[in-house]
């Protein structure tokens, strides 16, 4: 799902850098050519603005294509034709400019840079934010409605941390119990990733409780099951395991390795069940 706050932050920085370029260009072409600091500053601001634009377009592309993109998103989104023809041409020109400067080490003359910078800033400051808002509005209209008004991006980030921790813990649990309890590294890492999973689960729990306009307390998982967001069994098991958090986080505190092994065998699938139940509660049909 789109992270509108992320897009707003990136768009604000993009506009800030472009306005700095625009301020320089308004001194006129002759002053731009004769003042060495103007081309240098302009190129710096254009590169900085492009970095923000790249993050914006990568985020939008992920929602449009369903795939994560790690580079060249400005050019790719122009190919998707989600913006106007004029803006798409400018995005391609901007991408070409950055490619020549950063990859080909091409040096633009002040005259060439003035023309390129003028076209980029004029178009982006003129229509990009307006068109971006329209694209965001269209994508948001297709997203499922949330039954609970959570910060879905934060929920997803913590969900990934939980899944990653469970996967790593499971790698240790694939070894026989005897080997696990006699391998300090396994025990240490399993304790660490257990704490990560607990902390992320607690963050999700408290966040949802607050969004339900309740006040979270030390029995968060039990409260969540009481609100019918997760099952009673899931709430009880996570509440019991989360009570071990401080012990597992403190390397000076002992915890029976055999008991840890068996407890983790039982609790790791519960973390995944927790995420599944949370997802169903957040995205359930509201009528």
């Amino acid at each position: 799902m789109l992270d509108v706050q992320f897009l707003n932050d990136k768009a604000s920085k993009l506009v800030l850098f472009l306005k700095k370029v625009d301020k320089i260009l308004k001194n006129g072409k002759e002053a731009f050519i004769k003042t060495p600091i103007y081309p240098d500053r302009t190129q710096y601001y254009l590169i900085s603005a492009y970095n923000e634009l790249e993050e914006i377009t990568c985020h939008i592309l992920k929602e449009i294509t369903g795939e994560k993109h790690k580079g060249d998103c400005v050019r790719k989104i122009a190919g998707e034709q989600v913006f106007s023809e004029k803006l798409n041409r400018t995005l391609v020109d901007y991408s070409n400019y950055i490619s020549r400067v950063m990859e080909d080490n091409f040096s633009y003359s002040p005259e060439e840079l003035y023309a390129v910078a003028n076209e980029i800033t004029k178009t982006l400051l003129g229509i990009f934010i307006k068109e971006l808002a329209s694209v965001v509005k269209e994508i948001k209209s297709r997203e499922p409605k949330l039954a609970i008004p959570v910060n879905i991006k934060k929920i997803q980030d913590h969900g990934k941390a939980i899944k990653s921790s469970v996967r790593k813990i499971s790698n240790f649990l694939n070894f026989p119990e005897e080997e696990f309890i006699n391998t300090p590294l396994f025990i240490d890492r399993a304790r660490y990733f257990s704490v990560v999973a607990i902390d992320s689960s607690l963050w999700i729990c408290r966040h949802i409780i607050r969004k339900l306009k309740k006040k979270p307390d030390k029995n968060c998982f039990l409260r969540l099951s009481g609100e019918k967001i997760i099952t009673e069994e899931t709430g009880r098991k996570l509440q019991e395991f989360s009570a071990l958090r401080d012990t597992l986080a403190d390397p000076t505190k002992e915890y029976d390795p055999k008991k840890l092994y068996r407890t983790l065998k039982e609790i790791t699938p519960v973390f995944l069940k927790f995420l599944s139940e949370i997802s169903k509660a957040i995205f359930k049909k509201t009528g």
Side-chain angles (χ1 to χ4, degrees), residues 226-278:
E227 296 291 337
K228 308 300 182 184
I229 303 299
I230 59 177
T231 63
E232 183 178 344
E233 180 185 30
T234 299
R236 176 178 54 79
K237 289 183 176 180
L238 285 181
Q239 192 66 50
E240 291 174 354
F241 189 65
S242 65
L244 300 174
R245 192 260 178 219
D246 290 344
T247 297
L248 296 175
D250 189 343
T252 67
K253 293 183 178 180
E254 293 293 331
Y255 190 80
D256 180 24
K258 184 175 293 188
K259 186 175 181 180
L260 176 65
Y261 182 87
R262 295 176 181 178
T263 300
L264 290 177
K265 279 280 190 180
E266 181 181 358
I267 200 64
T268 46
V270 178
F271 279 113
L272 300 181
K273 188 179 180 186
F274 168 73
L275 292 178
S276 176
E277 291 171 356
I278 290 295

Side-chain angles (χ1 to χ4, degrees), residues 205-216 224:
C205 182
R206 290 166 180 157
H207 179 62
I208 292 176
I209 289 293
R210 290 189 182 99
K211 290 302 179 179
L212 294 173
K213 301 190 183 303
K214 309 286 184 178
K215 186 176 181 180
L224 211 56

Side-chain angles (χ1 to χ4, degrees), residues 7-278:
L7 291 174
N8 284 338
D9 291 344
K10 291 298 173 182
S12 295
K13 292 178 181 178
L14 168 67
V15 169
L16 177 64
F17 287 125
L18 290 176
K19 283 185 174 179
K20 289 180 181 292
V21 175
D22 188 54
K23 185 177 180 180
I24 293 173
L25 296 177
K26 283 180 176 177
N27 289 302
K29 184 175 181 179
E30 185 176 347
F32 186 88
I33 294 172
K34 292 182 177 180
T35 310
I37 196 173
Y38 284 173
D40 290 342
R41 288 279 178 86
T42 295
Q43 182 158 292
Y44 169 76
Y45 291 139
L46 284 178
I47 292 172
S48 298
Y50 190 84
N51 290 336
E52 304 299 331
L53 183 61
E54 182 74 4
E55 292 199 52
I56 291 170
T57 51
C58 282
H59 190 65
I60 295 291
L61 271 176
K62 182 180 178 183
E63 299 304 315
I64 293 173
T65 66
E67 300 176 357
K68 190 172 182 178
H69 299 263
K70 294 185 178 180
D72 205 21
C73 293
V74 173
R75 182 184 299 276
K76 289 175 183 176
I77 205 166
E80 293 291 333
Q81 300 293 309
V82 298
F83 297 117
S84 66
E85 184 177 345
K86 180 179 181 180
L87 181 53
N88 286 331
R89 286 199 305 269
T90 300
L91 292 177
V92 171
D93 289 343
Y94 201 175
S95 178
N96 288 338
Y97 163 74
I98 293 297
S99 177
R100 296 188 77 185
V101 170
M102 302 298 291
E103 298 174 17
D104 300 336
N105 201 27
F106 182 82
S107 181
Y108 281 75
S109 69
E111 292 86 353
E112 291 172 322
L113 181 56
Y114 183 86
V116 170
N118 193 53
E119 180 60 29
I120 290 171
T121 54
K122 180 180 177 181
T123 303
L124 291 184
L125 286 175
I127 63 176
F128 178 71
I129 297 301
K130 183 179 180 180
E131 292 196 20
L132 175 63
S134 296
V135 171
V136 168
K137 184 178 180 180
E138 181 182 349
I139 294 174
K140 292 294 288 183
S141 70
R142 299 197 301 264
E143 290 180 349
K145 304 300 180 184
L146 301 181
I148 306 171
V150 296
N151 183 327
I152 197 65
K153 179 64 167 53
K154 289 286 189 180
I155 293 282
Q156 290 173 335
D157 288 344
H158 283 285
K160 289 177 183 177
I162 294 169
K163 290 179 181 178
S164 176
S165 295
V166 167
R167 184 169 59 251
K168 290 168 182 174
I169 291 171
S170 297
N171 288 337
F172 303 133
L173 299 180
N174 285 333
F175 289 89
E177 180 179 309
E178 193 65 26
E179 186 170 352
F180 177 89
I181 65 177
N182 287 304
T183 308
L185 177 62
F186 290 176
I187 297 169
D188 176 73
R189 294 290 82 193
R191 288 176 60 154
Y192 171 79
F193 290 120
S194 294
V195 172
V196 173
I198 290 171
D199 286 350
S200 283
S201 298
L202 279 171
W203 189 95
I204 292 173
C205 182
R206 290 166 180 157
H207 179 62
I208 292 176
I209 289 293
R210 290 189 182 99
K211 290 302 179 179
L212 294 173
K213 301 190 183 303
K214 309 286 184 178
K215 186 176 181 180
D217 56 31
K218 63 179 181 179
N219 296 314
C220 189
F221 295 113
L222 296 181
R223 290 280 303 282
L224 211 56
S225 64
E227 296 291 337
K228 308 300 182 184
I229 303 299
I230 59 177
T231 63
E232 183 178 344
E233 180 185 30
T234 299
R236 176 178 54 79
K237 289 183 176 180
L238 285 181
Q239 192 66 50
E240 291 174 354
F241 189 65
S242 65
L244 300 174
R245 192 260 178 219
D246 290 344
T247 297
L248 296 175
D250 189 343
T252 67
K253 293 183 178 180
E254 293 293 331
Y255 190 80
D256 180 24
K258 184 175 293 188
K259 186 175 181 180
L260 176 65
Y261 182 87
R262 295 176 181 178
T263 300
L264 290 177
K265 279 280 190 180
E266 181 181 358
I267 200 64
T268 46
V270 178
F271 279 113
L272 300 181
K273 188 179 180 186
F274 168 73
L275 292 178
S276 176
E277 291 171 356
I278 290 295

